[in-house]
Amino acid sequence: MNDLETRAAAARPGALRRAAPALLGYAAVRGLGLVVLALWSEARGKSAYTLLTARWDSLWYTRVAELGYGYEVRLPNGDVHSNLAFFPLLPWLERLAAAVSPLSYADGGFVVSLLASLAAAWGIFAVADHLYGRRAGVCAVLLWAVLPVGIVQSMAYSESLFTALAAWALYAVLTGRWVTAGLLAGLAGLTRPVGLAVVAAVWAAGVAAFLRERSGSSFVGDGSAVPAGGARDGSHAGPPSGAPRTGAPDGAPPSPHAPGVRLRRVVGMLLAPLGAAGYVLWVGDRTGGGLLGYLDVQAGWRNGFDGGYAFALFVAGRFTSFPSALAGVALVVGVALVVWLHVLCVRRGQPLPLLVHAGTVTALALCASSYFGSKPRLLMPAFPLLLPLALALARARTRTRLLAAGLGAVAAGSATYGAFWLNGSGPP
């Protein structure tokens, strides 16, 4: 099956009907979050819409859309905050929305994020449904929706857009749509620096496929093969062993020697890094910093990669007094949970591109040297970490009403925390 045929298959009405419960559940959770935010903000004399569209990173994106690149702020301590740190895809879409409608750039960012969040939810469902079945797909989407920092999915930030591109790129790899995967990875690379994670996932899958071809081993693994459009069992949540419902750990198609497959794989791998590489090289040329120009821009924001040393010092500093020690405990537990989930994904035999994507997102988030309060939202695109929990919920012998009540309670807690968090003084 070529990319054109598989794209048409993915777009057929049946695919949307299959994903409808997940999308409706996601919309309900996000709607609850927005209502709680509006009420909380009104009580504090603030505008919820301003919090969503015109503060922190949202302002930087709209300035890029309106004025282009070149804007910077020089702080009293000598730091230089340049808008070159912000990748261009979201501002381009904001500019497009403003050009074809009466929307402002900020309005356009809000609309793009809302639509992208639905696309991300659909992509997460598609990945989980393909691997474990429809029920697990619904659970995966709801878990992503009720994350404590889920309100960011409705902000004029780039997280939702990036997650949508990443999820569909990973789904394309899992179903052997290499050119589509490369194009989506390239767009993800134009969205956020962590686009490297999607590029790495595509390349890891491609290299693994080539190595297995050379060794002459089969592409079919322990799990049963599923149609390219995903699992179609309706209520079944996957094979009893918990192994993914994909034919190979790297997501390669079961017929690697079919005409054109190798060529499409090479094309996809070559397309994947073009977005990120193109922007980084352009920034280097604009700043005169060459290949390291973008790193110099990030250094002006005091942002870098130190292997987690600064974050470890930050966490340790929470234990110097009470009640900040409680925050320290929460941070330690949170990091341990993230690491445990990734280990669980490895032990459960999650496909290689998902492991690489989630691992890279996690490493870049936890090992960055600043903006410690933003790490929860930086981890949000690592949705494959939620799949073991989604599968466990899908198989739980719990009545549907009881499960819905539990998720509803968590959603209410997430909405409350999101409203509190967004009405705080610092950026999310």
Side-chain angles (χ1 to χ4, degrees):
M1 184 176 286
N2 60 36
D3 274 54
L4 181 60
E5 290 170 331
T6 51
R7 279 199 299 272
R12 64 180 180 269
L16 179 57
R17 286 197 299 270
R18 185 171 180 82
L23 297 179
L24 291 173
Y26 177 79
V29 172
R30 291 273 43 85
L32 175 63
L34 292 175
V35 168
V36 173
L37 175 65
L39 295 175
W40 192 295
S41 302
E42 179 68 22
R44 293 177 59 87
K46 295 183 179 181
S47 166
Y49 191 68
T50 299
L51 294 176
L52 293 169
T53 63
R55 292 190 70 187
W56 307 300
D57 289 7
S58 300
L59 284 176
W60 286 93
Y61 283 119
T62 55
R63 286 192 184 111
V64 173
E66 181 179 6
L67 305 173
Y69 285 105
Y71 177 84
E72 62 183 30
V73 175
R74 294 184 177 271
L75 304 182
N77 64 358
D79 290 345
V80 178
H81 287 184
S82 168
N83 66 357
L84 289 169
F86 296 88
F87 277 51
L89 186 57
L90 178 57
W92 287 347
L93 294 175
E94 290 178 340
R95 185 177 296 177
L96 176 63
V100 301
S101 72
L103 298 175
S104 67
Y105 295 116
D107 296 336
F110 182 66
V111 171
V112 168
S113 292
L114 287 183
L115 295 177
S117 67
L118 288 170
W122 193 357
I124 292 170
F125 171 82
V127 170
D129 178 31
H130 177 76
L131 294 176
Y132 305 115
R134 187 183 194 186
R135 186 176 172 89
V138 173
C139 290
V141 170
L142 293 178
L143 286 173
W144 191 67
V146 301
L147 288 174
V149 295
I151 190 64
V152 175
Q153 298 163 16
S154 301
M155 296 180 68
Y157 273 37
S158 60
E159 271 75 12
S160 289
L161 179 60
F162 175 76
T163 304
L165 293 169
W168 284 108
L170 292 171
Y171 179 72
V173 171
L174 291 174
T175 54
R177 309 171 193 187
W178 292 99
V179 176
T180 299
L183 289 171
L184 292 172
L187 291 173
L190 286 171
T191 307
R192 297 185 61 81
V194 76
L196 172 65
V198 190
V199 177
V202 173
W203 271 75
V207 170
F210 282 120
L211 290 176
R212 266 198 301 279
E213 284 182 9
R214 291 196 61 180
S215 68
S217 61
S218 171
F219 278 79
V220 179
D222 295 332
S224 59
V226 295
R232 291 287 174 258
D233 61 341
S235 61
H236 193 264
S241 65
R245 295 167 53 88
T246 185
D250 67 350
S255 302
H257 301 294
V261 169
R262 287 185 179 181
L263 176 60
R264 290 197 296 273
R265 189 187 307 145
V266 170
V267 171
M269 292 175 68
L270 293 177
L271 288 172
L274 293 184
Y279 183 69
V280 168
L281 291 174
W282 179 81
V283 170
D285 180 70
R286 183 182 177 97
T287 61
L291 293 176
L292 301 179
Y294 184 75
L295 296 180
D296 293 336
V297 170
Q298 287 286 5
W301 288 79
R302 292 186 179 269
N303 198 17
F305 189 88
D306 63 359
Y309 177 73
F311 184 46
L313 290 181
F314 173 80
V315 173
R318 304 304 97 191
F319 291 95
T320 58
S321 63
F322 188 85
S324 67
L326 298 177
V329 172
L331 287 170
V332 171
V333 171
V335 171
L337 177 61
V338 169
V339 173
W340 175 75
L341 285 174
H342 196 267
V343 171
L344 189 59
C345 290
V346 174
R347 294 180 62 185
R348 295 289 175 85
Q350 198 172 92
L352 178 62
L354 271 62
L355 293 175
V356 171
H357 171 75
T360 305
V361 171
T362 300
L364 292 176
L366 296 183
C367 296
S369 58
S370 64
Y371 297 97
F372 307 117
S374 297
K375 292 190 183 297
R377 72 171 173 88
L378 298 179
L379 286 167
M380 196 160 51
F383 70 89
L385 297 179
L386 300 173
L387 296 186
L389 300 179
L391 184 58
L393 285 176
R395 291 181 174 164
R397 297 184 179 278
T398 305
R399 291 185 179 275
T400 302
R401 290 182 180 178
L402 182 59
L403 180 61
L407 286 173
V410 175
S414 173
T416 302
Y417 178 77
F420 168 78
W421 188 38
L422 215 53
N423 275 274
S425 59

